[in-house]
Amino acid sequence: MRRAVLAAIAVAVLATGCGATQGDTNSSSDKASSPVKKVPETPETPKSAKTPDGTLLVADFGSDTVSFVDPAPGKGVFDSVKVGHAPYGLVVGDDGRAWVATAEGVAVVDTDSREREALIPYGTEGLGPVTDGEYRGGGMGIALAPDGEHAYVGVNVPDGDGALETIDTRTEKVTGTASVGRRPFDVDVSRDGRQVYATDHDSFDVTVLDTRGGDTRRIEVAPYGTEGGLGSWLKPHYAAVRPSDGKLLLPFEGEKLVVVDPDTGRSTVERMTANTHQHGVTITPDGTLLAVGTGPIDPSEDEGPSLTVRAPGGKEKVVPLDGPHEDVAVSDDGRTAYVTGGFTRDGYWNGITVVDIDSGDTRRLAAGERPLGIAVL
């Protein structure tokens, strides 16, 4: 009941961030991201030196770069590469190439040499001028096929349905475009590569693309209902594919985990405990889900920012965080989480919170300019 009331409040009162419409060019996120700042390069690691394993790569949504970050205490950004305006999501393949969704196109970055190889323009029309902010046109979520042969990028079309573009990673060209829902925050791929999932934030659904035939279908994911439409805060943001069975996991408000069977379209709901507005997620090979809590919708009722660490059996550890965050990645050994402070709305900060998953201890690390997407190299 409380969430239904909040959905109505969001329409009437909260006209910024997740609760705003795409046409709101005066949102706080747009104000917060302008003017665009550049991330300074540092001379600590020369371009001739190979990027060390364990380096963090972050998308600088408030700039036109990706930053290479040494996560060790006292370290930070040691290099940056210009990729294109307002980079959002990124993904790194086994070959060391990063695919970065920007407002201008998908940038391809050699993470070993730390150089941009290409900027692939979108095939989708109606993206409008290259600009800043949460509602800018261009790429958002992005993922790679398991075999690395294709990249899939969700493209936001302001004031309309989005697109899911397929890129041939060998030729670095767009080879297909499919219609999806509004503002595809996240893109994921099934374990066998036969399906791609676009999480459509502003239309309360997930679009499933059949990579063999190109057909699409949409599955509504709205555990609180769709009341409030574009103005609602209670919409899907990011998803993770569960390794054990291929089902999609979508957290809502630190209260509900929606488990979607992408083959049947049926879903179930499990209880969550963080009681906070949730955005970015990742999942480890053993099925541990990590979900970023950005903070309260209603400060009188909800908890602040946090990181939920949810074991495969459903037991949760909630680690409080200082200030809003957006996305999360986990170290190869599964012991450390890296949570970006960029955030898609007002209140972002230029850094990463490093979380010891076992102890819950945290420390802050300066990193980039409004960092959103993150990967561990």
Side-chain angles (χ1 to χ4, degrees):
M1 178 64 71
R2 178 170 64 83
R3 290 299 182 186
V5 173
L6 286 173
I9 293 172
V11 180
V13 179
L14 299 175
T16 60
C18 289
T21 66
Q22 288 184 2
D24 180 12
T25 57
N26 293 318
S27 72
S28 60
S29 61
D30 290 335
K31 294 177 183 177
S33 62
S34 182
V36 173
K37 300 177 182 178
K38 303 298 181 182
V39 177
E41 292 192 24
T42 65
E44 295 180 27
T45 303
K47 287 286 188 184
S48 58
K50 184 178 181 295
T51 303
D53 291 342
T55 294
L56 308 180
L57 183 68
V58 297
D60 295 318
F61 191 59
S63 183
D64 57 2
T65 58
V66 291
S67 290
F68 291 79
V69 183
D70 184 339
K75 299 295 185 178
V77 175
F78 63 83
D79 206 350
S80 62
V81 174
K82 185 174 180 178
V83 290
H85 201 71
Y88 188 99
L90 58 80
V91 64
V92 181
D94 292 338
D95 61 1
R97 286 188 297 172
W99 302 79
V100 187
T102 83
E104 300 177 63
V106 173
V108 186
V109 176
D110 185 324
T111 62
D112 287 334
S113 64
R114 301 189 297 281
E115 295 178 344
R116 191 183 81 177
E117 292 184 349
L119 182 63
I120 304 167
Y122 299 116
T124 302
E125 298 181 352
L127 302 187
V130 174
T131 187
D132 306 310
E134 181 179 354
Y135 304 101
R136 63 123 175 92
M140 298 189 75
I142 190 166
L144 280 169
D147 60 12
E149 293 185 1
H150 295 92
Y152 303 96
V153 58
V155 181
N156 178 44
V157 179
D159 300 314
D161 282 348
L164 182 65
E165 297 196 4
T166 301
I167 296 172
D168 184 314
T169 58
R170 181 182 60 84
T171 63
E172 298 181 347
K173 295 183 181 300
V174 174
T175 58
T177 301
S179 179
V180 299
R182 299 182 73 137
R183 265 207 308 163
F185 257 54
D186 195 21
V187 175
D188 297 275
V189 184
S190 65
R191 296 167 298 167
D192 59 11
R194 294 184 176 183
Q195 292 181 338
V196 181
Y197 314 114
T199 301
D200 307 320
H201 177 269
D202 283 354
S203 50
F204 297 88
D205 57 28
V206 171
T207 300
V208 181
L209 168 69
D210 183 329
T211 60
R212 294 163 295 181
D215 295 334
T216 61
R217 52 194 168 84
R218 286 163 67 169
I219 302 171
E220 182 176 278
V221 186
Y224 296 99
T226 62
E227 183 180 357
L230 291 176
S232 172
W233 289 71
L234 308 177
K235 296 178 284 192
H237 292 84
Y238 297 79
V241 179
R242 189 158 63 187
S244 61
D245 58 8
K247 291 184 178 180
L248 302 179
L249 307 180
L250 297 99
F252 283 78
E253 307 310 315
E255 294 180 340
K256 300 181 180 184
L257 181 68
V258 180
V259 182
V260 179
D261 184 330
D263 294 326
T264 65
R266 299 189 182 95
S267 63
T268 58
V269 178
E270 300 176 6
R271 178 176 176 267
M272 297 189 76
T273 62
N275 190 28
T276 187
H277 190 58
Q278 287 174 316
H279 276 206
V281 300
T282 193
I283 197 164
T284 64
D286 71 354
T288 299
L289 179 72
L290 291 90
V292 180
T294 68
I297 294 177
D298 182 349
S300 68
E301 296 282 351
D302 305 331
E303 300 296 330
S306 64
L307 177 68
T308 292
V309 183
R310 183 183 177 92
K315 184 178 180 180
E316 292 187 346
K317 175 193 294 185
V318 179
V319 180
L321 299 176
D322 182 12
H325 292 69
E326 181 68 23
D327 207 354
V328 59
V330 180
S331 61
D332 288 343
D333 62 12
R335 298 174 61 184
T336 307
Y338 306 102
V339 195
T340 56
F343 198 39
T344 57
R345 294 187 284 118
D346 200 4
Y348 67 84
W349 60 285
N350 296 330
I352 293 168
T353 294
V354 181
V355 181
D356 184 302
I357 292 176
D358 290 335
S359 69
D361 293 340
T362 65
R363 60 180 171 87
R364 280 194 162 200
L365 176 70
E369 179 70 25
R370 199 178 185 183
L372 290 188
I374 184 170
V376 181
L377 302 180

